[in-house]
Amino acid sequence: MSDFKSGQKVRLNDEDNIPYSPTNPLPVVQVESEGGAEIHDYNDSGDIAEDGTSDHDYTVTVGKELFLEKVLFAGSGAMKAELQVETAVASGVFDTIAVGFVQAGAKSDAIDLKRPVRVAAGIIVKVIKTNLDNDDQCLYSTIIGLER
């Protein structure tokens, strides 16, 4: 890296190497403050039989909104984690957001959401954990986000 000296000019270019200008403006995104409560909702399921499932439910706090960022999941063998969000308060109907898998021997994985999913108060976030291994195993999950 070279030394920056007073009076030197810096030029910024876009991804196509075109200089930013009044006709090619630099994109700016306003970022909301990070205020709110960090959510790390952990769940561990006892011995789940082969092909058995266990649900991990988190209900968004009344008067808050959850910005769902990630789900961690783990098991001692192969497993599947399906991330779902309820379509309306107490509807019992869920949309699948993402599915992740752990192969035997890998132990853990994560569903990282490129952009946080906004979930309204009273809505349930569900992780359905399925044992894909040949033996009983404990399955683990953590729902991660920010409530404000």
Side-chain angles (χ1 to χ4, degrees):
M1 180 175 222
S2 63
D3 291 331
F4 184 79
K5 298 187 188 320
S6 178
Q8 288 182 322
K9 294 184 180 185
V10 175
R11 180 194 290 176
L12 295 175
N13 297 334
D14 66 14
E15 62 274 0
D16 296 321
N17 204 27
I18 299 170
Y20 289 113
S21 67
T23 58
N24 184 31
L26 176 67
V28 176
V29 177
Q30 184 174 354
V31 178
E32 296 180 30
S33 71
E34 284 293 318
E38 291 278 340
I39 302 300
H40 295 266
D41 192 68
Y42 171 78
N43 174 268
D44 102 33
S45 307
D47 288 334
I48 304 299
E50 177 182 358
D51 296 323
T53 64
S54 174
D55 291 354
H56 172 186
D57 291 350
Y58 177 78
T59 304
V60 179
T61 306
V62 173
K64 304 282 184 177
E65 183 176 32
L66 174 68
F67 292 78
L68 178 62
E69 299 169 351
K70 178 186 288 195
V71 173
L72 306 174
F73 53 96
S76 56
M79 69 169 291
K80 175 176 96 172
E82 181 176 355
L83 174 60
Q84 297 183 335
V85 174
E86 194 174 25
T87 58
V89 175
S91 72
V93 177
F94 292 83
D95 285 337
T96 296
I97 303 299
V99 177
F101 295 88
V102 172
Q103 300 302 321
K107 306 295 185 210
S108 67
D109 206 342
I111 296 172
D112 285 307
L113 302 170
K114 183 175 181 179
R115 290 190 175 90
V117 174
R118 295 173 79 152
V119 184
I123 298 288
I124 296 171
V125 174
K126 179 186 295 281
V127 180
I128 302 170
K129 299 173 284 188
T130 304
N131 179 2
L132 301 178
D133 208 52
N134 296 326
D135 294 313
D136 293 1
Q137 66 171 318
C138 294
L139 302 175
Y140 307 88
S141 56
T142 304
I143 296 170
I144 299 173
L146 183 68
E147 266 190 356
R148 40 183 149 159

